[in-house]
């Protein structure tokens, strides 16, 4: 299903560093999220009202907040697609990270609201009416949310998109949360014990953890996290390939959003080499790195003594 949707709605889907392609993926992810979550919200709300279960109603409004998160995803990818300008010479790619952070904040706010409602339900309990309709709706909800998690996880990993990965994490937590609601309804049926409010608190805690984890993951690139060591090693390997460049140092990597990585470094060239030859080597290396790693790179040439025994020893 995921591959079919991508094929239908995303042109040049493998060009994942192209801002237009990323925007199309973001629109697809957001559209799927809005459609699925609104359906889940309406059906769960009906089931919750019919059964009187606050945990089911709380789970329904959690889905409504997820629909809002999907709207943020669409807006975030659209803003990230804006070209560079005088005020933002490296583009607007970090809007993807900001949209992920906003989604995390929405998840956390929803968790607090669910917690408050559930505590009130414990203090002021009401009878829960078990119904086959509610049971079927919750089971179908888990299936839908599991598919949504796999859908967003697959696309998020492909694009390295924090907003989609955050949405996938939220969907997984929803599966656990809805499972807790389902169990509480079954317990109330078998043992005649009303644990609806406690199940609502459990739902809130799962949602809260998902929100905190998501916020942590999206804050890292915004605050300027260290580059991936594997990426650094790959860069060094490709730069030193061929043996003309003898070493690299003072490497700096700046992340301005997916597909907008800026690299600068010093490359060590034998001082005895003709300056024109050295210049050509630096230029060809920059082009090779840009093409392979989809990043902008600026290499400063440092001449070093390679034939002086006193220095080499």
């Amino acid at each position: 299903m995921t591959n079919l949707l991508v094929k239908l709605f995303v042109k040049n889907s493998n060009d994942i560093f192209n801002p237009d392609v990323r925007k199309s993926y973001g629109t697809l992810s957001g559209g799927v999220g809005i459609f699925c979550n609104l359906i889940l919200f309406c059906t769960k709300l009906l089931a919750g009202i019919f059964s009187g279960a606050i945990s089911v109603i709380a789970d329904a409004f959690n889905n409504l907040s997820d629909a809002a998160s999907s709207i943020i995803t669409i807006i975030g990818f659209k803003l990230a697609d804006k070209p560079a300008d005088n005020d933002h010479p490296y583009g607007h790619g970090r809007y993807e990270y900001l949209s992920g952070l906003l989604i995390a904040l929405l998840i956390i706010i929803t968790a607090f609201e669910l917690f408050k409602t559930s505590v009130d339900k414990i203090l002021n309990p009401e009878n829960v009416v078990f119904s086959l309709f509610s049971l079927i709706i919750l089971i179908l909800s888990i299936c839908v949310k599991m598919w949504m998690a796999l859908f967003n996880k697959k696309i998020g990993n492909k694009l390295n998109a924090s907003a989609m990965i955050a949405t996938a994490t939220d969907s997984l937590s929803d599966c656990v949360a809805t499972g807790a609601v389902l169990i509480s309804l079954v317990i109330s049926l078998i043992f005649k014990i009303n644990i609806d409010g406690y199940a609502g608190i459990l739902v809130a805690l799962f949602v809260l953890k998902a929100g905190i984890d998501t916020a942590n993951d999206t804050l890292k690139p915004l605050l300027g996290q260290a580059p991936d060591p594997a990426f650094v090693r790959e860069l060094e390997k490709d730069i030193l390939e061929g043996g003309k460049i003898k070493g690299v140092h003072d490497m700096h990597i700046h992340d301005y959003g997916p597909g907008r990585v800026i690299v600068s470094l010093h490359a060590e060239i034998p001082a005895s080499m003709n300056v024109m030859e050295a210049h050509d080597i630096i230029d060809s290396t920059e082009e090779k790195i840009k093409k392979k790693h989809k990043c902008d790179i600026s290499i400063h040439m440092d001449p070093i003594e390679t034939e002086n025994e006193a220095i080499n020893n």
Side-chain angles (χ1 to χ4, degrees), residues 104 107-108 166 169-170 173 205-215:
I107 294 171
I108 292 172
T169 302
D170 185 35
S173 72
L205 292 177
F206 274 114
V207 174
L208 178 62
K209 183 180 185 304
I212 292 173
D213 290 343
T214 300

Side-chain angles (χ1 to χ4, degrees), residues 3-305:
N3 292 334
L4 177 61
L5 289 173
V6 170
K7 184 177 180 179
L8 290 174
F9 295 102
V10 182
K11 294 181 179 179
N12 303 317
S13 59
N14 289 325
D15 189 10
I16 60 174
F17 294 104
N18 185 320
D20 289 333
V21 174
R22 297 185 71 87
K23 183 175 71 172
S24 296
Y25 271 111
T27 302
L28 173 60
S29 173
V32 168
I34 292 170
F35 177 77
C36 292
N37 282 307
L38 285 180
I39 290 178
L40 290 176
F41 166 71
C42 293
T43 53
K44 284 184 184 178
L45 184 62
L46 286 174
I49 293 173
F50 185 75
S51 65
I54 188 62
S55 56
V56 177
I57 295 175
D59 204 24
F61 278 95
N62 182 33
N63 290 139
L64 184 62
S65 73
D66 290 342
S69 298
S70 297
I71 295 174
I72 292 174
T73 298
I74 294 175
I75 295 173
F77 275 86
K78 184 175 179 60
L79 291 174
D81 185 47
K82 292 174 61 178
D85 52 37
N86 291 333
D87 293 328
H88 306 89
Y90 300 110
H92 299 77
R94 285 182 176 172
Y95 271 119
E96 283 193 32
Y97 301 146
L98 284 173
S99 64
L101 182 59
L102 282 175
I103 291 171
L105 293 177
L106 271 179
I107 294 171
I108 292 172
I109 292 171
T110 300
F112 278 111
E113 290 300 318
L114 295 182
F115 185 85
K116 286 167 55 181
T117 305
S118 299
V119 170
D120 181 67
K121 189 70 172 181
I122 293 173
L123 297 176
N124 304 284
E126 297 178 6
N127 291 331
V128 175
V129 178
F130 180 85
S131 70
L132 183 61
F133 174 68
S134 299
L135 181 67
I136 293 173
I137 289 300
L138 292 177
I139 292 174
L140 289 177
S141 173
I142 292 173
C143 295
V144 171
K145 276 295 183 176
M146 181 60 70
W147 176 80
M148 290 177 65
L150 296 174
F151 171 78
N152 283 289
K153 185 73 171 178
K154 183 175 182 178
I155 296 179
N157 286 338
K158 182 176 182 178
L159 272 65
N160 191 26
S162 58
M164 291 180 186
I165 294 173
T167 302
T169 302
D170 185 35
S171 294
L172 283 176
S173 72
D174 287 347
C175 290
V176 177
T178 304
V181 174
L182 182 62
I183 292 171
S184 74
L185 288 180
V186 173
I187 290 176
S188 68
L189 172 68
I190 297 175
F191 299 102
K192 308 301 180 183
I193 301 174
N194 188 346
I195 61 169
D196 184 40
Y198 298 98
I201 288 178
L202 187 60
V203 171
L205 292 177
F206 274 114
V207 174
L208 178 62
K209 183 180 185 304
I212 292 173
D213 290 343
T214 300
N216 184 51
D217 291 339
T218 54
L219 273 174
K220 287 178 181 178
L222 285 172
L223 295 176
Q225 65 181 348
D228 183 358
F231 178 61
V232 174
R233 289 193 298 269
E234 189 70 16
L235 281 178
E236 291 179 344
K237 174 178 172 292
D238 291 336
I239 291 169
L240 297 176
E241 188 178 42
K244 297 294 182 66
I245 297 176
K246 303 302 180 182
V248 297
H249 61 273
D250 290 344
M251 182 185 295
H252 298 281
I253 299 176
H254 302 279
D255 183 356
Y256 292 95
R260 298 169 180 84
V261 175
I262 313 296
V263 179
S264 63
L265 58 90
H266 290 223
E268 298 168 356
I269 297 290
S272 59
M273 183 180 293
N274 179 279
V275 67
M276 293 302 296
E277 181 185 358
H279 183 269
D280 288 342
I281 290 171
I282 295 298
D283 276 354
S284 62
T285 301
E286 286 179 339
E287 288 301 317
K288 179 176 72 173
I289 297 301
K290 286 179 183 178
K291 184 176 181 180
K292 180 176 180 179
H293 296 282
K294 308 298 182 182
C295 65
D296 287 331
I297 183 168
S298 176
I299 299 178
H300 175 78
M301 181 178 64
D302 272 354
I304 59 169
E305 290 280 359

